[in-house]
Amino acid sequence: MTLIKSISGIRGTIGGHTGDTLNPLDIVKFTTAYATFIGNHKSQTSTLKSQTAKRIVVGRDGRISGPMVRDIVCGTLVGMGYEVIDIGLATTPTTELAVRWHEADGGIIITASHNPTQWNALKLLNSEGEFLTAADGAEVLRIAEAEDFDYAPVERLGHVTLDDTMNQRHVQSVLDLRLADVEAIRQRRFRVCADTINSVGGIILPQLFEALGCDYEILNGECNGHFAHNPEPLEKNLQGIMDKMRQGGFDLGIVVDPDVDRLAFICEDGTMFGEEYTLVSVADYVLSEESTLHSSLYTVSNLSSTRALRDVTERYGGQYAAAAVGEVNVTTKMKEVGAVIGGEGNGGVIYPESHYGRDALVGIVLFLSSLAQKGCTVSELRKTFPDYQIAKNRIDLTPETDVDAILVKVKEMFAKDPEAQVNDIDGVKIDFPTKWVHLRKSNTEPIIRVYSEAQSMAEADALGKQLMQVVYDMQ
């Protein structure tokens, strides 16, 4: 069964039986449920301004199934009486921003993010261009299950408007950020190599590089949905661009996932900067600029992210807070503490001055600003941060796997350990003085993620494997 319903949206493989995969009937069902939810919310919070026509923005990444899913989504929204703003091939952050710029009631992003080609998904946004809360997502699922919806009569059908200006506007909005030192970047004339996985990064990143005065080369730049390698931006999947960087001639390697909300850097010598250190490096730059202006600074990341963010934050006299995994959980915590920057260790940078969403374009510009001001190489910059090693393992689930029982067992194992701090707000995380391990059920795949961090990869991997064996013994 490959249809997953979570706070991250509705995600599944294309084709197959109704209710088991992401097929046309289920796309109609969940799109209708979402439109019903937006309509109900709009009527409950109506003001004079919101009496205008109901409006939803739709954007998609370059997946092969994208045009099919888009046609179904847009047709369904028209049948529900909505004005649809179709922004075409666009990144996830572009679509999030477009919801605000169009003053829309919501948005649907057609993307399965880092999942392979056969997957697609509907990511659901509110009127702020942010992901739905867990409660709102649960209400959409309830409406879908009950099929508690009605379509518009013929005289009240909606319509589709095309808008191909959002990519350009997104680029300009990033250039206009207060901490974007565009002039310093242009003076450095960086030469960058970017792998855009044959998706929408191949459309928008060249626009960004040209605006920044960078010389650039794009690998896998045709937006055709035929991913050149596994699309998750992990070292094991990036040997092509790493080999290219080793040949010399580039200052920086840049890798994005298919919807361009995750970002990984590669050093000038072809070594990985480390996806966990994308957020750390950008946060270091933001904190260095903001620490002279504010007496109290907060940063936020999820429980599965590196301790290095905490260390860097404290270096500037700031405070660090952890959130459950999931972008909406991170942004909720960021708003709660007033964080100046936050994100996730998977290469997701969330900078509130732009918007509350992971945005690779924001990450690129702030990183290049830092690099330009410091006048150093990427590998030299990496050496300025605390050095932790994180092992990322996974356990594939079967229908018989009792995840809750597994997590309870793990929690009980360490409850009486005086050196262990147990956190169960999202799966189970066990913190030790010099290392940690975190087990949680994925929101996007039928797996248990097992992340562990220590001061060496061998130690981190051993800790993760120890907990994985507990799970295997229970299956």
Side-chain angles (χ1 to χ4, degrees), residues 216-356:
Y216 65 91
E217 182 174 338
I218 303 294
L219 305 181
N220 306 314
E222 187 176 355
C223 187
N224 58 20
H226 295 282
F227 301 150
H229 52 76
N230 185 306
E232 189 161 15
L234 303 177
E235 180 174 358
K236 63 183 180 180
N237 302 325
L238 304 178
Q239 292 307 308
I241 187 172
M242 293 174 71
D243 289 342
K244 185 77 172 179
M245 293 294 294
R246 291 187 189 104
Q247 295 171 15
F250 294 101
D251 299 303
L252 173 66
I254 295 173
V255 181
V256 294
D257 65 340
D259 66 328
V260 198
D261 63 353
R262 287 175 60 174
L263 172 65
F265 295 122
I266 300 172
C267 299
E268 75 284 351
D269 59 3
T271 59
M272 290 293 295
F273 189 79
E275 67 164 348
E276 287 288 332
Y277 283 82
T278 298
L279 174 59
V280 174
S281 60
V282 174
D284 175 75
Y285 171 65
V286 171
L287 290 165
S288 70
E289 295 288 320
E290 299 288 6
S291 60
T292 59
L293 303 175
H294 304 280
S295 58
S296 178
L297 298 171
Y298 266 95
T299 64
V300 174
S301 65
N302 66 43
L303 288 169
S304 284
S305 300
T306 179
R307 278 184 179 173
L309 179 61
R310 178 202 64 184
D311 295 352
V312 166
T313 303
E314 292 175 352
R315 179 189 299 172
Y316 290 98
Q319 300 181 67
Y320 167 78
V325 175
E327 187 172 321
V328 67
N329 297 319
V330 174
T331 57
T332 298
K333 177 61 73 172
M334 289 178 67
K335 293 175 184 178
E336 178 186 319
V337 301
V340 293
I341 187 110
E344 299 184 288
N346 60 11
V349 175
I350 302 173
Y351 185 47
E353 186 176 316
S354 175
H355 63 119
Y356 279 104

Side-chain angles (χ1 to χ4, degrees), residues 141-272:
L141 296 180
R142 185 202 65 78
I143 294 170
E145 183 66 25
E147 298 190 0
D148 185 15
F149 34 71
D150 295 299
Y151 293 95
V154 66
E155 65 274 8
R156 293 173 59 189
L157 292 175
H159 63 278
V160 177
T161 300
L162 303 179
D163 183 353
D164 63 359
T165 68
M166 291 294 99
N167 286 328
Q168 181 180 359
R169 187 167 178 180
H170 183 187
V171 170
Q172 189 59 51
S173 74
V174 175
L175 300 177
D176 290 340
L177 291 172
R178 181 168 47 88
L179 296 186
D181 196 340
V182 176
E183 187 56 37
I185 296 172
R186 288 173 176 162
Q187 289 179 3
R188 279 288 299 268
R189 291 198 63 82
F190 289 107
R191 179 156 173 76
V192 300
C193 181
D195 184 346
T196 59
I197 197 65
N198 289 334
S199 191
V200 290
I203 296 173
I204 198 167
L205 289 193
Q207 297 178 37
L208 178 67
F209 296 147
E210 289 169 10
L212 292 172
C214 296
D215 293 328
Y216 65 91
E217 182 174 338
I218 303 294
L219 305 181
N220 306 314
E222 187 176 355
C223 187
N224 58 20
H226 295 282
F227 301 150
H229 52 76
N230 185 306
E232 189 161 15
L234 303 177
E235 180 174 358
K236 63 183 180 180
N237 302 325
L238 304 178
Q239 292 307 308
I241 187 172
M242 293 174 71
D243 289 342
K244 185 77 172 179
M245 293 294 294
R246 291 187 189 104
Q247 295 171 15
F250 294 101
D251 299 303
L252 173 66
I254 295 173
V255 181
V256 294
D257 65 340
D259 66 328
V260 198
D261 63 353
R262 287 175 60 174
L263 172 65
F265 295 122
I266 300 172
C267 299
E268 75 284 351
D269 59 3
T271 59
M272 290 293 295

